[in-house]
Amino acid sequence: PESAVKIIEEFKEKTNLPLLVKPNSADLNAKDFAKALSPCFDNVSYIGACCGSNPNYIAELKRLIESSR
């Protein structure tokens, strides 16, 4: 997720197109995964999780996004 955050920040500087991010879990638990992706919340139109994740990761992303609004 940390690498994805850096890439999204770079992409955001270069385009106004919608961005999406869906990194693998990098062996993080759901809470740490969502926290690691939190810098992306304002920069992407779609956020998800890939390899190593499960529905709990998406639920934690949703919880953290909603609590940040």
Side-chain angles (χ1 to χ4, degrees):
E2 292 85 8
S3 296
V5 169
K6 291 176 186 176
I7 292 168
I8 289 297
E9 288 171 352
E10 184 179 332
F11 282 10
K12 189 65 178 175
E13 292 176 7
K14 299 178 189 228
T15 186
N16 290 326
L17 294 171
L19 298 172
L20 65 92
V21 64
K22 189 178 171 185
N24 66 47
S25 71
D27 296 324
L28 296 174
N29 63 44
K31 187 171 266 190
D32 291 339
F33 176 81
K35 186 176 178 181
L37 281 179
S38 64
C40 288
F41 292 172
D42 292 332
N43 295 327
V44 297
S45 299
Y46 173 91
I47 193 164
C50 194
C51 303
S53 69
N54 60 48
N56 295 331
Y57 286 69
I58 303 305
E60 187 60 29
L61 280 169
K62 181 180 187 248
R63 186 197 69 73
L64 197 57
I65 289 167
E66 287 178 348
S67 71
S68 70
R69 291 186 178 167

Coordinates of all heavy atoms in Angstrom, one line a residue:
P1 N 0.8 -1.2 0.0 CA 0.0 0.0 0.0 C 0.8 1.3 0.0 O 0.5 2.3 -0.6 CB -0.8 -0.1 1.3 CG -0.9 -1.6 1.6 CD 0.4 -2.1 1.0
E2 N 2.0 1.3 0.7 CA 2.8 2.5 0.7 C 3.3 2.9 -0.6 O 3.3 4.0 -1.0 CB 4.0 2.3 1.7 CG 3.6 2.2 3.2 CD 3.2 0.8 3.6 OE1 3.3 -0.2 2.8 OE2 2.6 0.6 4.7
S3 N 3.7 1.9 -1.4 CA 4.1 2.2 -2.8 C 3.0 2.7 -3.6 O 3.2 3.6 -4.4 CB 4.7 0.9 -3.5 OG 5.8 0.5 -2.8
A4 N 1.8 2.2 -3.4 CA 0.6 2.6 -4.2 C 0.3 4.1 -3.9 O -0.1 4.9 -4.7 CB -0.6 1.7 -3.9
V5 N 0.4 4.5 -2.6 CA 0.2 5.8 -2.2 C 1.1 6.8 -2.9 O 0.7 7.8 -3.5 CB 0.3 6.0 -0.7 CG1 0.3 7.5 -0.3 CG2 -0.8 5.2 0.1
K6 N 2.4 6.4 -3.0 CA 3.4 7.3 -3.7 C 3.0 7.4 -5.2 O 3.1 8.5 -5.8 CB 4.8 6.7 -3.5 CG 5.3 6.9 -2.1 CD 6.6 6.2 -2.0 CE 7.0 6.2 -0.5 NZ 8.3 5.5 -0.3
I7 N 2.6 6.3 -5.8 CA 2.3 6.4 -7.2 C 1.0 7.2 -7.5 O 1.0 8.0 -8.4 CB 2.1 4.9 -7.7 CG1 3.5 4.2 -7.7 CG2 1.5 4.9 -9.1 CD1 3.4 2.7 -8.0
I8 N 0.0 7.0 -6.6 CA -1.2 7.8 -6.8 C -0.9 9.3 -6.6 O -1.4 10.1 -7.4 CB -2.3 7.4 -5.8 CG1 -2.8 6.0 -6.2 CG2 -3.4 8.4 -5.7 CD1 -3.5 5.9 -7.6
E9 N -0.1 9.7 -5.7 CA 0.3 11.1 -5.5 C 1.0 11.6 -6.7 O 0.7 12.7 -7.2 CB 1.2 11.2 -4.3 CG 0.4 11.1 -3.0 CD 1.3 11.0 -1.7 OE1 2.6 11.0 -1.9 OE2 0.8 11.0 -0.6
E10 N 1.8 10.8 -7.3 CA 2.5 11.2 -8.6 C 1.5 11.4 -9.7 O 1.6 12.4 -10.5 CB 3.6 10.2 -8.9 CG 4.4 10.6 -10.1 CD 5.5 9.6 -10.4 OE1 6.0 8.9 -9.5 OE2 5.9 9.5 -11.6
F11 N 0.7 10.4 -9.9 CA -0.3 10.5 -10.9 C -1.3 11.7 -10.8 O -1.6 12.3 -11.7 CB -1.2 9.2 -11.0 CG -0.5 8.0 -11.6 CD1 0.8 8.0 -11.9 CD2 -1.2 6.8 -11.8 CE1 1.4 6.9 -12.5 CE2 -0.6 5.7 -12.4 CZ 0.7 5.7 -12.7
K12 N -1.7 11.9 -9.5 CA -2.6 13.0 -9.3 C -2.0 14.4 -9.7 O -2.7 15.3 -10.1 CB -3.0 13.1 -7.8 CG -4.0 14.0 -7.4 CD -5.4 13.6 -8.1 CE -6.5 14.6 -7.7 NZ -7.7 14.3 -8.3
E13 N -0.7 14.5 -9.6 CA 0.0 15.7 -10.0 C 0.0 15.9 -11.5 O 0.1 17.0 -12.1 CB 1.4 15.7 -9.5 CG 1.6 15.9 -8.0 CD 3.0 15.8 -7.6 OE1 3.9 15.7 -8.5 OE2 3.3 15.7 -6.4
K14 N -0.2 14.8 -12.3 CA -0.1 14.8 -13.7 C -1.4 14.7 -14.5 O -1.3 14.7 -15.7 CB 0.9 13.7 -14.1 CG 2.3 14.0 -13.5 CD 3.3 12.9 -13.9 CE 4.5 13.2 -13.0 NZ 5.7 13.1 -13.6
T15 N -2.5 14.4 -13.8 CA -3.7 14.2 -14.6 C -4.9 14.6 -13.7 O -4.9 14.7 -12.5 CB -3.9 12.7 -15.0 OG1 -5.0 12.6 -15.8 CG2 -4.0 11.8 -13.8
N16 N -6.0 14.9 -14.4 CA -7.3 15.2 -13.8 C -8.2 14.0 -14.0 O -9.4 14.1 -13.6 CB -7.9 16.5 -14.4 CG -7.1 17.7 -13.9 OD1 -6.6 17.8 -12.8 ND2 -7.0 18.7 -14.8
L17 N -7.7 13.0 -14.7 CA -8.6 11.8 -14.9 C -8.9 11.1 -13.6 O -8.0 11.2 -12.6 CB -7.9 10.9 -15.9 CG -7.7 11.4 -17.3 CD1 -6.8 10.4 -18.1 CD2 -9.0 11.5 -18.0
P18 N -10.0 10.4 -13.5 CA -10.2 9.6 -12.3 C -9.1 8.5 -12.1 O -8.7 7.9 -13.0 CB -11.6 8.9 -12.6 CG -12.2 9.7 -13.7 CD -11.0 10.3 -14.5
L19 N -8.8 8.3 -10.9 CA -7.7 7.4 -10.5 C -8.3 6.3 -9.6 O -9.3 6.5 -8.9 CB -6.6 8.0 -9.8 CG -5.8 9.1 -10.5 CD1 -4.8 9.8 -9.6 CD2 -5.1 8.5 -11.7
L20 N -7.8 5.1 -9.7 CA -8.2 4.0 -8.9 C -6.9 3.3 -8.3 O -5.9 3.4 -8.9 CB -9.0 3.0 -9.6 CG -8.4 2.2 -10.7 CD1 -7.9 0.9 -10.2 CD2 -9.5 1.9 -11.7
V21 N -7.1 2.8 -7.1 CA -6.0 2.1 -6.5 C -6.6 0.8 -5.8 O -7.7 0.8 -5.3 CB -5.3 2.9 -5.4 CG1 -6.2 3.3 -4.3 CG2 -4.1 2.3 -4.9
K22 N -5.9 -0.3 -6.1 CA -6.3 -1.6 -5.6 C -5.1 -2.5 -5.3 O -4.8 -3.5 -6.0 CB -7.2 -2.3 -6.6 CG -7.9 -3.5 -6.2 CD -8.8 -4.0 -7.3 CE -9.4 -5.4 -6.9 NZ -10.1 -6.0 -8.0
P23 N -4.3 -2.1 -4.3 CA -3.0 -2.8 -4.0 C -3.3 -4.1 -3.3 O -4.4 -4.4 -2.7 CB -2.3 -1.9 -3.2 CG -3.3 -1.1 -2.4 CD -4.4 -1.0 -3.4
N24 N -2.2 -5.0 -3.3 CA -2.3 -6.2 -2.5 C -2.1 -5.8 -1.0 O -1.7 -4.7 -0.7 CB -1.4 -7.3 -2.9 CG 0.1 -6.9 -2.8 OD1 0.5 -6.5 -1.7 ND2 0.9 -7.1 -3.8
S25 N -2.4 -6.8 -0.1 CA -2.4 -6.4 1.3 C -1.0 -6.3 1.9 O -0.9 -5.8 3.0 CB -3.2 -7.5 2.1 OG -2.5 -8.7 2.1
A26 N 0.0 -6.8 1.2 CA 1.4 -6.7 1.7 C 1.5 -7.3 3.1 O 2.2 -6.8 4.0 CB 1.9 -5.3 1.7
D27 N 0.7 -8.4 3.4 CA 0.7 -9.0 4.7 C 0.3 -8.2 5.9 O 0.6 -8.5 7.0 CB 2.1 -9.7 5.0 CG 2.4 -10.8 4.0 OD1 1.5 -11.5 3.6 OD2 3.6 -10.9 3.6
L28 N -0.4 -7.0 5.6 CA -0.9 -6.2 6.6 C -2.3 -6.7 7.0 O -3.0 -7.3 6.2 CB -1.1 -4.7 6.2 CG 0.2 -4.0 5.8 CD1 -0.1 -2.7 5.2 CD2 1.1 -3.9 7.0
N29 N -2.7 -6.5 8.3 CA -4.1 -6.8 8.6 C -5.0 -5.7 8.1 O -4.5 -4.7 7.6 CB -4.2 -7.0 10.2 CG -3.9 -5.7 10.9 OD1 -4.4 -4.6 10.5 ND2 -3.2 -5.8 12.0
A30 N -6.3 -5.9 8.2 CA -7.2 -5.0 7.5 C -7.1 -3.6 8.0 O -7.2 -2.6 7.3 CB -8.7 -5.6 7.7
K31 N -7.0 -3.4 9.3 CA -6.9 -2.1 9.9 C -5.7 -1.4 9.5 O -5.7 -0.2 9.1 CB -7.0 -2.2 11.4 CG -7.1 -0.9 12.1 CD -7.3 -1.0 13.6 CE -8.8 -1.0 13.8 NZ -9.2 -0.9 15.2
D32 N -4.5 -2.0 9.5 CA -3.3 -1.4 9.1 C -3.3 -1.1 7.6 O -2.7 -0.1 7.1 CB -2.1 -2.3 9.4 CG -1.8 -2.3 10.9 OD1 -2.3 -1.4 11.7 OD2 -1.2 -3.3 11.4
F33 N -3.9 -2.0 6.8 CA -4.0 -1.8 5.3 C -4.8 -0.5 5.0 O -4.3 0.3 4.3 CB -4.7 -3.0 4.7 CG -4.9 -2.9 3.3 CD1 -3.9 -3.1 2.3 CD2 -6.2 -2.6 2.8 CE1 -4.2 -3.0 1.0 CE2 -6.5 -2.5 1.4 CZ -5.5 -2.7 0.5
A34 N -5.9 -0.4 5.7 CA -6.8 0.8 5.4 C -6.0 2.1 5.9 O -6.1 3.1 5.2 CB -8.1 0.6 6.2
K35 N -5.4 2.0 7.0 CA -4.6 3.2 7.5 C -3.5 3.5 6.5 O -3.3 4.7 6.2 CB -4.1 2.9 8.9 CG -3.4 4.1 9.5 CD -3.0 3.7 10.9 CE -2.3 4.9 11.5 NZ -1.8 4.7 12.9
A36 N -2.8 2.5 6.0 CA -1.8 2.8 5.0 C -2.3 3.5 3.8 O -1.6 4.3 3.1 CB -1.0 1.5 4.7
L37 N -3.5 3.1 3.4 CA -4.1 3.7 2.1 C -4.8 5.0 2.4 O -5.2 5.7 1.4 CB -5.1 2.7 1.5 CG -4.5 1.6 0.7 CD1 -5.6 0.7 0.1 CD2 -3.6 2.1 -0.4
S38 N -5.0 5.4 3.6 CA -5.7 6.6 3.9 C -5.2 7.9 3.2 O -6.1 8.8 2.9 CB -5.8 6.9 5.4 OG -4.6 7.1 6.0
P39 N -4.0 8.1 2.9 CA -3.6 9.3 2.2 C -4.2 9.3 0.7 O -4.2 10.4 0.1 CB -2.0 9.2 2.1 CG -1.7 8.3 3.3 CD -2.8 7.3 3.4
C40 N -4.6 8.2 0.2 CA -5.2 8.2 -1.1 C -6.7 8.6 -1.1 O -7.3 8.8 -2.2 CB -5.2 6.7 -1.7 SG -3.5 6.2 -2.1
F41 N -7.3 8.6 0.0 CA -8.8 8.8 0.1 C -9.3 10.0 -0.7 O -10.3 9.9 -1.4 CB -9.3 8.9 1.5 CG -9.2 7.6 2.3 CD1 -9.4 7.6 3.7 CD2 -8.8 6.4 1.7 CE1 -9.4 6.5 4.4 CE2 -8.7 5.3 2.5 CZ -9.0 5.3 3.8
D42 N -8.6 11.1 -0.7 CA -9.0 12.3 -1.4 C -8.5 12.3 -2.9 O -8.9 13.2 -3.6 CB -8.5 13.5 -0.7 CG -9.2 13.7 0.6 OD1 -10.4 13.3 0.8 OD2 -8.6 14.3 1.5
N43 N -7.7 11.4 -3.3 CA -7.1 11.4 -4.6 C -7.6 10.4 -5.6 O -7.2 10.4 -6.7 CB -5.6 11.3 -4.5 CG -4.9 12.4 -3.7 OD1 -5.4 13.5 -3.8 ND2 -3.9 12.1 -3.0
V44 N -8.4 9.5 -5.1 CA -8.9 8.4 -6.0 C -10.4 8.4 -6.1 O -11.1 8.8 -5.2 CB -8.4 7.0 -5.6 CG1 -6.9 7.0 -5.7 CG2 -8.9 6.7 -4.2
S45 N -10.9 7.9 -7.2 CA -12.4 7.7 -7.4 C -12.8 6.3 -7.0 O -14.0 6.0 -6.7 CB -12.7 7.9 -8.8 OG -12.4 9.2 -9.2
Y46 N -11.9 5.4 -6.9 CA -12.2 4.0 -6.6 C -11.0 3.5 -5.7 O -9.8 3.7 -6.1 CB -12.3 3.1 -7.8 CG -12.4 1.7 -7.6 CD1 -13.7 1.1 -7.4 CD2 -11.3 0.8 -7.5 CE1 -13.8 -0.3 -7.2 CE2 -11.4 -0.5 -7.2 CZ -12.7 -1.1 -7.1 OH -12.8 -2.4 -6.8
I47 N -11.3 2.8 -4.6 CA -10.3 2.2 -3.8 C -10.7 0.8 -3.4 O -11.9 0.6 -3.2 CB -10.0 3.1 -2.6 CG1 -8.8 2.7 -1.8 CG2 -11.2 3.1 -1.6 CD1 -8.3 3.7 -0.9
G48 N -9.8 -0.1 -3.5 CA -10.1 -1.5 -3.2 C -8.9 -2.2 -2.7 O -7.9 -1.6 -2.3
A49 N -9.0 -3.5 -2.7 CA -7.9 -4.4 -2.2 C -7.8 -5.6 -3.1 O -8.8 -6.0 -3.7 CB -8.1 -4.8 -0.8
C50 N -6.6 -6.2 -3.2 CA -6.4 -7.3 -4.1 C -5.8 -8.5 -3.3 O -6.3 -8.8 -2.2 CB -5.4 -6.9 -5.2 SG -5.4 -8.1 -6.6
C51 N -4.8 -9.1 -3.8 CA -4.2 -10.3 -3.2 C -3.9 -10.2 -1.7 O -3.4 -9.2 -1.3 CB -3.0 -10.7 -4.0 SG -3.2 -10.9 -5.7
G52 N -4.3 -11.2 -1.0 CA -4.1 -11.3 0.4 C -5.2 -10.6 1.3 O -5.1 -10.6 2.5
S53 N -6.2 -10.0 0.6 CA -7.2 -9.3 1.3 C -8.5 -10.3 1.3 O -8.5 -11.3 0.8 CB -7.6 -8.0 0.6 OG -8.2 -8.2 -0.6
N54 N -9.5 -9.8 2.0 CA -10.8 -10.4 2.1 C -11.8 -9.4 2.4 O -11.5 -8.2 2.4 CB -10.8 -11.5 3.2 CG -10.5 -11.0 4.5 OD1 -11.1 -10.0 5.0 ND2 -9.5 -11.7 5.2
P55 N -13.1 -9.7 2.5 CA -14.1 -8.7 2.7 C -13.9 -7.8 3.9 O -14.3 -6.6 3.9 CB -15.4 -9.5 2.8 CG -15.2 -10.7 2.0 CD -13.7 -11.0 2.2
N56 N -13.2 -8.3 4.9 CA -12.9 -7.4 6.1 C -12.0 -6.2 5.7 O -12.1 -5.2 6.3 CB -12.1 -8.3 7.1 CG -13.0 -9.3 7.7 OD1 -14.2 -9.3 7.7 ND2 -12.4 -10.4 8.2
Y57 N -11.2 -6.4 4.7 CA -10.3 -5.2 4.2 C -11.2 -4.1 3.6 O -11.0 -3.0 3.9 CB -9.3 -5.7 3.2 CG -8.2 -6.5 3.9 CD1 -8.4 -7.8 4.4 CD2 -6.9 -6.0 3.9 CE1 -7.3 -8.5 5.0 CE2 -5.8 -6.7 4.5 CZ -6.1 -7.9 5.0 OH -5.0 -8.6 5.6
I58 N -12.2 -4.6 2.8 CA -13.1 -3.6 2.2 C -13.9 -2.9 3.3 O -14.1 -1.7 3.2 CB -13.9 -4.2 1.1 CG1 -13.1 -4.9 0.1 CG2 -14.9 -3.2 0.5 CD1 -12.0 -4.0 -0.6
A59 N -14.4 -3.7 4.2 CA -15.2 -3.1 5.3 C -14.4 -2.1 6.1 O -14.9 -1.1 6.5 CB -15.7 -4.3 6.2
E60 N -13.1 -2.4 6.4 CA -12.3 -1.5 7.1 C -12.0 -0.2 6.3 O -12.0 0.9 6.9 CB -11.0 -2.2 7.5 CG -10.1 -1.4 8.5 CD -10.8 -1.0 9.8 OE1 -11.7 -1.8 10.3 OE2 -10.5 0.0 10.4
L61 N -11.8 -0.4 5.0 CA -11.6 0.8 4.2 C -12.9 1.7 4.2 O -12.8 2.9 4.4 CB -11.4 0.4 2.7 CG -10.0 0.0 2.3 CD1 -9.9 -0.6 0.9 CD2 -9.0 1.2 2.4
K62 N -14.0 1.1 4.1 CA -15.3 1.8 4.2 C -15.4 2.5 5.5 O -15.8 3.7 5.5 CB -16.5 0.8 3.9 CG -17.8 1.5 4.0 CD -18.9 0.5 3.7 CE -20.2 1.3 3.6 NZ -21.2 1.1 4.6
R63 N -15.2 1.8 6.6 CA -15.3 2.4 7.9 C -14.4 3.6 8.1 O -14.8 4.7 8.5 CB -15.0 1.4 9.0 CG -15.2 1.9 10.4 CD -14.5 1.0 11.5 NE -13.1 1.2 11.4 CZ -12.4 2.2 11.8 NH1 -13.0 3.3 12.3 NH2 -11.1 2.2 11.8
L64 N -13.1 3.5 7.6 CA -12.2 4.6 7.8 C -12.5 5.7 6.9 O -12.4 6.9 7.3 CB -10.8 4.0 7.5 CG -9.6 4.9 8.0 CD1 -9.7 5.2 9.5 CD2 -8.3 4.2 7.6
I65 N -13.0 5.5 5.6 CA -13.4 6.5 4.7 C -14.5 7.3 5.3 O -14.5 8.5 5.3 CB -13.7 6.0 3.3 CG1 -12.4 5.5 2.6 CG2 -14.4 7.0 2.5 CD1 -12.6 4.7 1.4
E66 N -15.5 6.6 5.8 CA -16.7 7.3 6.3 C -16.4 8.1 7.6 O -16.9 9.1 7.8 CB -17.8 6.2 6.6 CG -18.4 5.7 5.4 CD -19.5 4.7 5.6 OE1 -19.6 4.1 6.7 OE2 -20.2 4.4 4.6
S67 N -15.5 7.6 8.4 CA -15.1 8.3 9.6 C -14.2 9.5 9.3 O -14.1 10.4 10.1 CB -14.4 7.4 10.6 OG -13.1 7.1 10.2
S68 N -13.6 9.6 8.1 CA -12.8 10.7 7.7 C -13.6 11.9 7.1 O -13.0 12.9 6.9 CB -11.7 10.3 6.8 OG -12.1 9.9 5.5
R69 N -14.8 11.6 6.8 CA -15.6 12.7 6.2 C -16.3 13.6 7.2 O -16.5 13.4 8.2 CB -16.8 12.0 5.3 CG -16.2 11.3 4.2 CD -17.3 10.8 3.3 NE -16.6 10.2 2.1 CZ -17.3 9.5 1.3 NH1 -18.5 9.2 1.4 NH2 -16.7 8.9 0.2

